Structures are given as structure tokens and as C-alpha cells.
């Protein structure tokens, strides 16, 4: 997301009191040559991989592209991490990967399995993952939709009447 990368760069630059080098790179995780060259060029030692399609309705309407981006993108980053002996790779996954009921959750679960398979091999990279769900004001948050629905007088759409939503900040 070029726009989000732009915003992150704007946000980090004034906070950079230690004068760490900030290098915003616009790239596609489904392109293994580009991913590998970035990791190699910058001698990355920790990767937090959150590059995934997160909006369930959009992935449901674009199944092939959603699954390709989420699974193949994760595979490319993980393989490059392994090949370049990156010390740590952390996959930022989703609570929807637990017993997935949609393509987005299933693709993220498959991404987790990719990391588990690589972690079972003898590599110099420590592969790990964490699951988050409904992070307030994140790129994948449902909160902006709920705010809009409330402002318009409702109703607030929830997937199922018996569902309980938890939010994190």
C-alpha cells in the first residue's frame, strides 16, 4: 500500500531521535526476486511480516488474488529469510486463522503452516507467529465501518447475532 507506506514514513521520521536509517520500500511480496534483493541488500535481521489482504469481503470477492498474496507472499518472505539467514521472522496472523470459515482466514492459516514447516527444518532463522484480531484503527479494522454505520443511524452489521467481538489497541 503506497499510501500507507507514505503515512508510516511521515509518522516515523519525526520520531527518529536515534537517527536510525528509515528506508521506505514499496514492493510486492509475491515477487520473490524483489523480496530477496531487499532482504539481502539491507542485511535484515528481523522481519515482521504483516503484508496480507485482511478485509474478508474483499478477499471473498477476489479469492485467487487474496490467497495468492497471503500464502505465496508469506512463502516468498519466509524462504528469503531462510536463504539469507535472517535471525527472526514473525508472521502477523489473524484470529480468523483459528478454524477458518472464509478464504481470508484459510489463507492466513495456510501461511502459518508454511512457517511451521520451515521452522521444523534446521535453519538459522527462528520462525514465529502471533495472531491479532480487531486492532482498533488498523488497516484491517472493522471499527471505521461500525463508526460510519452508527453515524448514519445504524444498524451496526455483525457477522452473526451470537458473535462476541473483542477489540485491542
Amino acid at each position: 500500500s503506497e499510501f500507507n507506506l507514505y503515512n508510516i514514513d511521515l509518522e516515523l521520521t519525526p520520531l527518529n531521535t536515534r537517527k536510525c536509517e528509515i528506508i521506505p520500500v514499496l514492493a510486492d511480496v509475491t515477487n520473490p526476486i524483489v523480496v530477496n534483493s531487499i532482504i539481502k541488500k539491507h542485511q535484515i535481521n528481523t522481519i515482521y511480516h504483516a503484508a496480507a489482504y485482511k478485509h474478508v469481503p474483499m478477499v471473498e470477492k477476489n479469492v485467487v488474488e487474496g490467497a495468492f498474496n497471503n500464502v505465496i507472499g508469506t512463502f516468498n518472505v519466509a524462504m528469503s529469510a531462510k536463504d539469507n539467514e535472517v535471525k527472526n521472522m514473525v508472521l502477523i496472523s489473524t484470529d480468523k486463522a483459528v478454524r477458518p470459515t472464509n478464504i481470508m482466514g484459510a489463507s492466513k492459516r495456510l501461511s502459518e503452516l508454511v512457517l511451521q514447516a520451515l521452522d521444523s527444518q534446521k535453519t538459522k532463522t527462528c520462525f514465529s507467529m502471533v495472531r491479532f484480531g480487531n486492532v482498533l484503527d488498523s488497516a484491517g479494522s472493522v471499527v471505521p465501518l461500525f463508526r460510519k454505520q452508527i453515524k448514519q443511524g445504524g444498524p451496526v452489521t455483525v457477522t452473526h447475532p451470537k458473535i462476541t467481538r473483542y477489540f485491542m489497541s
Side-chain angles (χ1 to χ4, degrees):
S1 173
E2 181 262 349
F3 181 67
N4 287 333
L5 180 64
Y6 171 76
N7 284 330
I8 290 167
D9 189 44
L10 282 179
E11 182 179 341
L12 289 179
T13 300
L15 301 175
N16 191 9
T17 58
R18 294 186 179 171
K19 300 303 173 201
C20 299
E21 188 177 13
I22 297 173
I23 306 165
V25 178
L26 187 61
D28 184 343
V29 294
T30 64
N31 184 332
I33 295 167
V34 172
V35 169
N36 195 57
S37 69
I38 292 166
I39 291 171
K40 187 176 287 200
K41 177 180 178 183
H42 298 291
Q43 299 176 331
I44 305 298
N45 89 9
T46 299
I47 296 170
Y48 296 96
H49 176 58
Y53 292 142
K54 300 167 183 67
H55 292 88
V56 173
M58 287 297 102
V59 176
E60 290 295 308
K61 291 175 184 171
N62 299 278
V63 173
V64 173
E65 185 61 30
F68 184 77
N69 182 73
N70 291 356
V71 178
I72 301 305
T74 299
F75 176 80
N76 291 339
V77 173
M79 289 302 293
S80 186
K82 181 186 110 170
D83 293 344
N84 288 288
E85 298 183 353
V86 171
K87 186 175 180 182
N88 299 292
M89 180 183 166
V90 181
L91 172 66
I92 311 299
S93 190
T94 174
D95 59 341
K96 291 171 182 64
V98 181
R99 294 183 302 280
T101 60
N102 55 52
I103 295 299
M104 198 280 289
S107 68
K108 293 294 281 184
R109 178 66 184 130
L110 191 50
S111 298
E112 292 177 359
L113 293 172
V114 165
L115 256 66
Q116 288 174 331
L118 286 172
D119 193 57
S120 69
Q121 300 175 3
K122 301 283 185 213
T123 70
K124 294 190 177 185
T125 303
C126 175
F127 292 99
S128 58
M129 64 197 81
V130 61
R131 289 176 175 158
F132 290 122
N134 293 316
V135 179
L136 292 174
D137 290 329
S138 70
S141 177
V142 70
V143 173
L145 173 63
F146 287 172
R147 284 185 181 136
K148 181 180 176 184
Q149 290 172 340
I150 290 166
K151 190 175 182 178
Q152 293 174 341
V156 174
T157 56
V158 181
T159 311
H160 190 278
K162 293 184 180 180
I163 197 167
T164 301
R165 287 199 179 262
Y166 298 92
F167 297 94
M168 347 172 20
S169 61

